Amino acid sequence: MINATEREERDYLEEIKEQLTLAIRRVDGSVKQFSEELREKKQYIHEQQSGMDEADMVAAGQSIDRMAFTGEAAVGRKRKLLKLGQSPYFGRIDFVPEGKATLPVYIGIYSFIDERQRQSLIYDWRAPISSMFYDFELGDAAFATPSGMVEGRIERKRQYKIRDGRLEFMIENDVNIHDDVLQRELAKSSDDKLKNIVATIQRDQNAVIRNETAPVMVIQGVAGSGKTSIALHRIAFLLYRYRATIGARDVLIISPNKVFADYISNVLPELGEEHIPELGMDELAADLLDHQHAFQTFFEQVSALLDSPDPALIERIRFKSSFEFLSQLNQYLLHVENNYFSVRELRVGSTVVPLPFLLAKFETFHRVPLLKRFALVAEEVRAYVRDAAKRKLTNHEKATIGEAIPRMFRFHQVPDLYRDFYRWLGRPELLKLNHGQPLEYADVFALIYLRLRLEGISTYDHVKHLLVDEMQDYTPVQYAVLARLFPCRKTILGDVSQTVNPYSASSAETIERVFPQAEVVKLYRSYRSTVEITAFAQRITPNPHIIPLERHGPEPTVARFGSPDEELQAIRELLTTFQSSGNRSLGIICKTLRQAEQAHQALEGPGIYLLTDESTTFKEGIIITTAHLAKGLEFDAVVVPFASARTYKTEVDKSMLYVACTRAMHQLTLTYSGEVSAFVAA
């Protein structure tokens, strides 16, 4: 039975949809008109070409560009209107500004204005007035405008779920309004892309999203706390807020792998932003090393630790991932600066260049990266000799000076200095830099850091906001490189419990040491998994701060089988059950790529996909992959095969198991043969 309030809301929704339809027709009309005019203009130019001078041609070209641009803007507007037609708004507040009439504020992912009446029918979620929807319950409320705070009262608050233009449900002003809607949304299946959480942003999340002052914002969030989604909403908000000075192409996302980049790529268009450039840390490294050094990738480093953990390798990784390592590199650079330039007498023809002159000139250029100073000092020496000899120098003399200056410095190549650093430390065994062998991943960014300091590399000045995801997987030296390359504002997010390599994990506190100006926000509420799945994962890696949303489901299953073949047979039956369950996604998450490939071979079939480090797109359905590659993804159901004591025994294995289990929203199954892993038994 529909009550009067709901009937009113349904009528209003129909009214808005009608207005949207009319607006789409108007846009269609103008798009048609633009393309007609564009065609005529091009035709005219083609016919008149012979009689046009250069100035006429330039003016005609500019006119065509202008028309094309206006036409594109109209097409973009149509796309937004069509999206609004599907779900025009998700919230409403009735706000009474002091001394004024009640203003109903409907909130959606875009704004929509009745152009004839000159009034807003829908407000963009990022607009200042919309912030009250997230920050206040009924009663006193306020929002900031360029001319100061507007104060008043919220007299009504409603939340809607509108899908395909139909009102599915409506919730009236309950204090816990967010959790109610979240409960309903999360009880359904996971979407194939990250959830758009605009409708259910909490007050603390809203503060993070709308923070305009922090130069560096660090978001430490537990598994399933929506941190990636919050960070993307933050980017969407900043792009909206500073739209005159920053566009999507001025933002850069550093994400762990191509699949994850694809997984999140649809979230921002959902929020009303176009595609944002993404870069993997490995791509950045290849770029900074000018593709001159072959190196092990992060994925290969983790795979090596999983396949055959070597204590010497672990020690190298652990040391090079510490803050102390970065401090030692900085001390070494100081040592090089003070001790490695040994001035010697330089004679050019009959002129002797005094040693104090050479030293003074070397000092003069102290702001220039060390290995770039030699050419500048050589130029000064040439001028000195020219003045002393009162004649022009021969090419041979110029070349002699150019070669003599670098020879006074102990090393000329960054790799030689990097090798020398370990000798200076008294720990040469910590470097495996064999000729023809790829660099170990732990050395890649240390080498880049030395290169930045000794040779200087041009910074990425065009980037106006940097988003770094999976922050726990990057080391202090990597952050030191990012700090120098990207002088812009940054949003850095992750969860130290979800590291795939515990020997090189960074916490929010570690990152703060590299960025002392950072603001750190910690998110403890987990929205992804049921209480039962969260409790199970907590036994693997305890986190006393995690607060699961009160959503219940079946207890995780741990099933023993006689052999790996029996395990795979049981999983095959699980897949059949899943395909008729109405759920949309199932993850079969293995420890290693080899296991994932074996499972894929055994389970192959339609709608079953293997996700490797080479994959570039995320497909919906049944995904077989590794914990490393599943990070950041979520599935309705997860199966963790081969959870035996043989498979999961080291610290890295434990991290992988935790990541695998925390991908599950509703259902978690672990299978094993032989002895169960001690991490599960506990």
Side-chain angles (χ1 to χ4, degrees), residues 413-682:
Q413 302 293 326
V414 175
D416 295 334
L417 280 150
Y418 187 51
R419 188 179 272 110
D420 179 66
F421 162 68
Y422 290 95
R423 282 197 291 266
W424 172 81
L425 264 185
R427 304 285 308 275
E429 77 284 358
L430 286 175
L431 181 65
K432 292 271 174 279
L433 198 56
N434 302 325
H435 189 67
Q437 286 288 94
L439 265 177
E440 287 190 344
Y441 186 74
D443 292 310
V444 173
F445 280 86
L447 191 65
I448 289 169
Y449 183 67
L450 281 192
R451 203 174 156 197
L452 269 171
R453 296 288 307 272
L454 294 165
E455 291 181 346
I457 298 177
S458 58
T459 57
Y460 289 68
D461 285 332
H462 67 282
V463 176
K464 293 182 182 161
H465 197 99
L466 181 72
L467 179 82
V468 181
D469 203 358
E470 302 294 354
M471 68 181 191
Q472 69 281 359
D473 290 339
Y474 309 125
T475 63
V477 81
Q478 286 177 297
Y479 283 111
V481 167
L482 294 179
R484 282 176 177 268
L485 286 179
F486 300 97
C488 59
R489 291 185 170 201
K490 300 170 187 69
T491 300
I492 301 173
L493 59 139
D495 174 17
V496 78
S497 298
Q498 291 182 67
T499 175
V500 288
N501 179 356
Y503 310 120
S504 70
S506 285
S507 64
E509 289 69 28
T510 313
I511 296 165
E512 254 186 305
R513 291 179 74 179
V514 183
F515 300 107
Q517 74 280 35
E519 277 186 39
V520 177
V521 175
K522 299 197 173 179
L523 305 171
Y524 297 126
R525 184 174 280 281
S526 173
Y527 300 101
R528 178 186 295 137
S529 308
T530 60
V531 171
E532 290 76 10
I533 292 170
T534 303
F536 183 87
Q538 284 292 289
R539 296 204 293 274
I540 299 167
T541 302
N543 180 347
H545 301 299
I546 204 162
I547 308 162
L549 188 73
E550 279 295 321
R551 189 168 61 80
H552 290 276
E555 284 286 345
T557 309
V558 180
R560 181 168 191 254
F561 296 93
S563 69
D565 286 344
E566 276 182 38
E567 264 185 81
L568 288 166
Q569 182 51 44
I571 293 169
R572 204 173 284 112
E573 285 159 23
L574 276 174
L575 301 193
T576 313
T577 316
F578 166 78
Q579 278 156 335
S580 57
S581 71
N583 278 340
R584 311 247 309 254
S585 61
L586 170 73
I588 297 174
I589 305 179
C590 304
K591 183 180 106 167
T592 63
L593 195 55
R594 197 166 57 242
Q595 285 181 342
E597 285 165 347
Q598 282 168 354
H600 182 245
Q601 227 172 354
L603 302 168
E604 238 173 333
I608 299 174
Y609 306 101
L610 176 67
L611 214 60
T612 71
D613 57 326
E614 302 292 316
S615 304
T616 53
T617 54
F618 178 79
K619 293 190 170 74
E620 201 183 19
I622 296 167
I623 304 285
I624 303 177
T625 190
T626 65
H628 184 180
L629 295 172
K631 253 202 329 189
L633 309 182
E634 60 182 31
F635 302 92
D636 292 323
V638 164
V639 176
V640 182
F642 320 122
S644 67
R646 274 192 321 279
T647 308
Y648 291 100
K649 51 185 183 291
T650 68
E651 278 302 302
V652 183
D653 300 344
K654 182 176 163 181
S655 294
M656 291 295 188
L657 191 58
Y658 179 79
V659 169
C661 294
T662 53
R663 302 305 94 206
M665 285 181 64
H666 307 298
Q667 221 167 353
L668 174 64
T669 307
L670 288 86
T671 65
Y672 72 99
S673 55
E675 202 68 36
V676 73
S677 164
F679 304 130
V680 177

Side-chain angles (χ1 to χ4, degrees), residues 25-26 56 64 185 245 312 329 337 358 360 447 465 523 534 536 576 657 664 668:
R25 271 191 212 138
R26 283 198 294 277
D56 289 338
I64 282 180
E185 287 303 290
T245 54
L329 274 173
E337 174 87 33
L358 286 169
L447 191 65
H465 197 99
L523 305 171
T534 303
F536 183 87
T576 313
L657 191 58
L668 174 64

Side-chain angles (χ1 to χ4, degrees), residues 229-249:
S229 202
I230 291 166
L232 293 173
H233 283 77
R234 173 165 163 73
I235 295 294
F237 169 75
L238 293 171
L239 287 174
Y240 175 86
R241 176 75 180 77
Y242 298 104
R243 51 196 178 279
T245 54
I246 177 172
R249 66 187 175 282

Side-chain angles (χ1 to χ4, degrees), residues 122-380:
I122 301 169
Y123 290 85
D124 191 297
W125 67 276
R126 294 161 289 197
I129 195 168
S130 306
S131 65
M132 293 190 292
F133 176 73
Y134 305 111
D135 287 338
F136 296 98
E137 301 306 333
L138 297 190
D140 294 343
F143 67 96
T145 71
S147 51
M149 292 299 282
V150 176
E151 298 190 350
R153 287 179 59 73
I154 292 176
E155 304 231 306
R156 168 176 290 147
K157 191 169 176 183
R158 279 184 189 151
Q159 205 152 346
Y160 314 92
K161 176 68 185 179
I162 301 169
R163 199 197 297 264
D164 299 329
R166 281 179 49 251
L167 179 64
E168 287 190 358
F169 65 79
M170 178 181 98
I171 296 180
E172 196 71 58
N173 60 36
D174 177 359
V175 174
N176 222 3
I177 192 165
H178 310 297
D179 283 356
D180 283 344
V181 175
L182 264 177
Q183 288 279 22
R184 287 201 183 203
E185 287 303 290
L186 295 173
K188 297 185 190 135
S189 76
S190 81
D191 225 345
D192 59 334
K193 298 282 178 191
L194 213 64
K195 282 208 173 57
N196 180 340
I197 60 159
V198 163
T200 50
I201 292 169
Q202 310 281 327
R203 190 172 299 148
D204 53 346
Q205 295 171 340
N206 195 38
V208 177
I209 290 165
R210 290 174 191 260
N211 183 316
E212 295 173 46
T213 55
V216 178
M217 184 129 216
V218 178
I219 306 170
Q220 157 75 43
V222 298
S225 57
K227 54 192 171 291
T228 304
S229 202
I230 291 166
L232 293 173
H233 283 77
R234 173 165 163 73
I235 295 294
F237 169 75
L238 293 171
L239 287 174
Y240 175 86
R241 176 75 180 77
Y242 298 104
R243 51 196 178 279
T245 54
I246 177 172
R249 66 187 175 282
D250 305 322
V251 176
L252 179 66
I253 297 177
I254 290 190
S255 62
N257 57 56
K258 285 276 181 286
V259 173
F260 187 68
D262 177 64
Y263 183 71
I264 64 174
S265 65
N266 274 25
V267 180
L268 283 155
E270 278 292 311
L271 304 175
E273 299 307 334
E274 67 246 59
H275 180 72
I276 283 183
E278 294 135 12
L279 199 59
M281 212 49 143
D282 296 344
E283 289 173 282
L284 181 68
D287 196 22
L288 294 171
L289 293 170
D290 296 331
H291 300 271
Q292 286 174 4
H293 298 270
F295 60 84
Q296 177 191 42
T297 63
F298 181 55
F299 182 78
E300 287 163 351
Q301 182 200 62
V302 174
S303 300
L305 287 170
L306 289 169
D307 288 334
S308 49
D310 163 32
L313 171 64
I314 290 170
E315 191 191 355
R316 291 196 294 278
I317 292 172
R318 202 174 249 145
F319 173 66
K320 293 169 194 182
S321 307
S322 65
F323 195 82
E324 180 202 353
F325 175 66
L326 177 60
S327 304
Q328 302 267 30
L329 274 173
N330 287 329
Q331 282 172 33
Y332 171 71
L333 285 164
L334 209 59
H335 169 76
V336 167
E337 174 87 33
N338 295 328
N339 299 288
Y340 281 18
F341 189 61
S342 330
V343 286
R344 293 188 284 279
E345 186 178 274
L346 176 58
R347 183 182 290 276
V348 184
S350 58
T351 307
V352 175
V353 183
L355 302 187
F357 174 86
L358 286 169
L359 270 175
K361 289 303 168 192
F362 188 70
E363 284 303 311
T364 305
F365 298 111
H366 70 278
R367 290 188 181 280
V368 178
L370 221 144
L371 297 178
K372 288 280 162 77
R373 287 183 213 170
F374 307 140
L376 300 170
V377 173
E379 214 37 66
E380 294 284 340

